[in-house]
Amino acid sequence: MEHFLERHKERIEGVISGFDRILFRGTLRSISDRHGAERWLWYQGVLLTGFGPFAEKLSTRLKKHAEEIAQEHHRPFIYVESPKQSKQEIVRQIMTKDKIEQGLICVLSCVEPCRAFQLEKIRCDKMLALKAKTRQCLHLYFYYVDREFGLMHVRLQTWLPFTIQVCINGWEWLARRLDRQGIGYEKRDNCFAHIDDIPRAQRMMDSLVERKWIRWLDLLAKRCNPWLNPSNGVDLRGYYWSIRDGEYSTDVLFKDSESLKEVYPRLLNHAIRNFSAKEVLRFLQRHFNCRSTGEVKSNLTVRIEGVRIKHWVDENSIKMYDKQGFVLGSRQR
């Protein structure tokens, strides 16, 4: 990277790197597995035969709480019939129509696949036991325009074990920080075409990595899941947070589109012809040996926004594209 930047420094305005999309997952570890969930039911005085009605009661309360939040903020509560329907599009239409600049936009509900508990008979001893299986259940989406992070959402699974996700965008956070610091910039779609003070912006992005996330995530979870309140007597304790999906971005800002057009075709040609499975695995910090698992794939796609080259193994990927005519972007996931 340093060699590339040095070689083309006359064409390049600057480079900005940082987390683009971050998806946090919250897990209630005390009930995340079968044995923990069964012990928890015992503490609650619930027999396995009564698991269904008890779980339904908890689920119903979550749905009612979500409706109450929407009513309290005078925002719509909408059922989305298909998980394939774009929730982002629904939300952006509501934002435009109601001119939402901060706070709750809406609450969406949708039946989607999840890992959840259900009751089954163990054949060998004919006893009942909980088992985590892939099934369908209702999920609640709380969409906000946050003061710090802009458009973001919280996704809550309404059936035990109540897994939760929080999705934010690092570039949105940076744009708001730049506004507060009075630093000029030009943002197009989800990338920066120009920043007046790139070194200072980079220091801001670096500080995001060191942020203490737990308290903020816990506040969001308590806002959406009323069973976390100790006064309810359910004793779910708090969520354990991890990064389920993170996309780290590096954008090279060229001075004009002609400078990028002169370089980009050669980069694409090199990426397709010269990167074997060994290089792709190295990019994704995996070892190349006989125990390597997963299929290494590469794909070149022409889109309206530009031309994208992508290499991936399982859920991990790295891609490069030209965007807005003069931004050379890469995303590692």
Side-chain angles (χ1 to χ4, degrees):
M1 183 67 174
E2 290 78 8
H3 177 71
F4 175 83
L5 295 177
E6 179 62 28
R7 182 178 179 181
H8 300 285
K9 63 181 180 181
E10 300 300 324
R11 297 187 174 97
I12 294 171
E13 180 180 317
V15 182
I16 184 76
S17 300
F19 276 104
D20 181 356
R21 179 176 177 270
I22 311 176
L23 181 64
F24 295 98
R25 177 169 60 187
T27 306
L28 295 169
R29 290 197 291 181
S30 60
I31 60 170
S32 62
D33 60 68
R34 176 175 68 88
H35 300 293
E38 289 179 353
R39 284 194 300 268
W40 175 70
L41 289 175
W42 183 79
Y43 291 141
Q44 296 296 316
V46 178
L47 299 175
L48 286 180
T49 52
F51 169 74
F54 179 71
E56 186 65 39
K57 169 191 166 185
L58 300 182
S59 180
T60 300
R61 179 69 185 100
L62 289 181
K63 300 171 197 174
K64 184 178 179 182
H65 179 71
E67 292 173 352
E68 290 171 352
I69 288 177
Q71 290 173 4
E72 179 185 347
H73 292 84
H74 306 288
R75 304 309 309 146
F77 183 95
I78 302 171
Y79 175 71
V80 181
E81 295 185 357
S82 171
K84 296 180 180 179
Q85 190 173 352
S86 174
K87 298 176 185 66
Q88 289 276 355
E89 184 60 31
I90 295 172
V91 171
R92 292 194 181 278
Q93 288 178 4
I94 294 173
M95 283 181 65
T96 302
K97 173 177 168 289
D98 295 344
K99 299 179 181 178
I100 304 296
E101 297 182 355
Q102 190 169 319
L104 183 69
I105 303 168
C106 63
V107 181
L108 306 181
S109 64
C110 185
V111 176
E112 297 174 338
C114 66
R115 291 288 290 178
F117 292 119
Q118 65 182 47
L119 206 58
E120 287 194 353
K121 281 187 178 181
I122 301 176
R123 291 184 180 180
C124 57
D125 51 16
K126 298 182 179 180
M127 292 181 62
L128 292 174
L130 292 181
K131 188 172 183 179
K133 300 187 74 173
T134 300
R135 51 168 292 176
Q136 301 278 334
C137 87
L138 191 75
H139 289 75
L140 300 168
Y141 286 80
F142 300 82
Y143 276 90
Y144 297 93
V145 178
D146 185 72
R147 182 177 61 86
E148 282 190 279
F149 292 98
L151 180 60
M152 56 162 290
H153 74 265
V154 180
R155 177 183 186 259
L156 176 62
Q157 176 180 314
T158 62
W159 195 261
L160 286 165
F162 303 143
T163 304
I164 195 170
Q165 294 181 353
V166 177
C167 186
I168 63 170
N169 186 295
W171 291 145
E172 286 289 324
W173 176 84
L174 178 59
R176 288 169 178 265
R177 282 291 301 273
L178 293 173
D179 287 337
R180 288 198 293 273
Q181 296 295 323
I183 299 174
Y185 65 90
E186 181 184 357
K187 190 169 182 287
R188 300 184 185 180
D189 195 10
N190 193 39
C191 71
F192 289 92
H194 171 75
I195 302 176
D196 285 349
D197 192 340
I198 293 178
R200 194 172 170 189
Q202 185 60 63
R203 290 194 294 272
M204 292 179 186
M205 288 303 295
D206 293 340
S207 70
L208 189 62
V209 179
E210 301 171 358
R211 182 188 174 103
K212 306 300 182 184
W213 292 99
I214 304 301
R215 185 172 179 272
W216 181 72
L217 293 169
D218 283 343
L219 287 173
L220 287 174
K222 289 176 181 177
R223 185 187 302 171
C224 300
N225 186 346
W227 293 118
L228 294 177
N229 190 333
S231 64
N232 288 321
V234 177
D235 191 27
L236 283 177
R237 304 179 188 176
Y239 281 100
Y240 173 79
W241 296 99
S242 59
I243 295 181
R244 169 64 182 86
D245 191 3
E247 196 171 71
Y248 194 85
S249 304
T250 299
D251 285 353
V252 181
L253 281 59
F254 279 73
K255 293 181 178 179
D256 52 65
S257 59
E258 293 304 318
S259 296
L260 180 56
K261 285 179 181 178
E262 187 176 340
V263 174
Y264 193 54
R266 298 199 299 271
L267 295 176
L268 290 174
N269 183 66
H270 182 74
I272 283 291
R273 291 178 177 271
N274 297 286
F275 291 160
S276 65
K278 185 175 182 179
E279 281 77 30
V280 174
L281 288 169
R282 179 167 57 83
F283 295 155
L284 299 174
Q285 299 182 0
R286 295 196 182 194
H287 296 292
F288 182 76
N289 53 46
C290 59
R291 291 175 294 180
S292 297
T293 60
E295 183 181 1
V296 178
K297 302 177 183 178
S298 296
N299 174 263
L300 182 69
T301 304
V302 180
R303 297 179 173 176
I304 296 176
E305 299 90 348
V307 182
R308 184 216 68 187
I309 176 73
K310 180 178 180 181
H311 308 286
W312 72 95
V313 181
D314 299 328
E315 292 186 347
N316 298 122
S317 66
I318 185 167
K319 59 185 178 182
M320 178 181 70
Y321 54 85
D322 58 330
K323 201 168 186 179
Q324 303 299 332
F326 47 88
V327 177
L328 177 62
S330 69
R331 300 288 187 271
Q332 185 167 349
R333 181 180 178 186

